[in-house]
Amino acid sequence: SENGEYVKINDGLIPSKGSLEQGATYTFTDNNVRNRKTYWYKIEDIDINGAATLHGPASATPRLLYWLGE
């Protein structure tokens, strides 16, 4: 839940893509999710001096669609 306990789900730093001028983006795929369940995430950035800043939370709700074909 948004105000619940958060658990670290990655093993290391997530490399950024971008620049100082345009900002950075980060991508992480959580493969341990269930369909139609809402998950809450926070991201922690570590600057070059080792100072950490926590951002979020943000939510995601996977919705798998099944194609039965014709």
Side-chain angles (χ1 to χ4, degrees):
S1 70
E2 181 177 7
N3 297 313
E5 179 181 353
Y6 284 80
V7 177
K8 184 177 177 180
I9 59 174
N10 62 314
D11 293 328
L13 295 177
I14 301 168
S16 66
K17 294 180 182 174
S19 67
L20 290 174
E21 296 80 24
Q22 296 179 352
T25 60
Y26 301 85
T27 301
F28 179 82
T29 302
D30 185 354
N31 293 314
N32 297 310
V33 297
R34 292 188 312 207
N35 192 31
R36 299 183 186 272
K37 179 179 180 196
T38 299
Y39 294 86
W40 291 89
Y41 298 91
K42 292 182 181 181
I43 186 168
E44 181 179 44
D45 74 66
I46 312 288
D47 70 16
I48 60 172
N49 297 314
T53 304
L54 200 58
H55 304 274
S59 66
T61 306
R63 298 194 194 287
L64 297 177
L65 300 176
Y66 298 97
W67 177 255
L68 300 177
E70 295 183 355

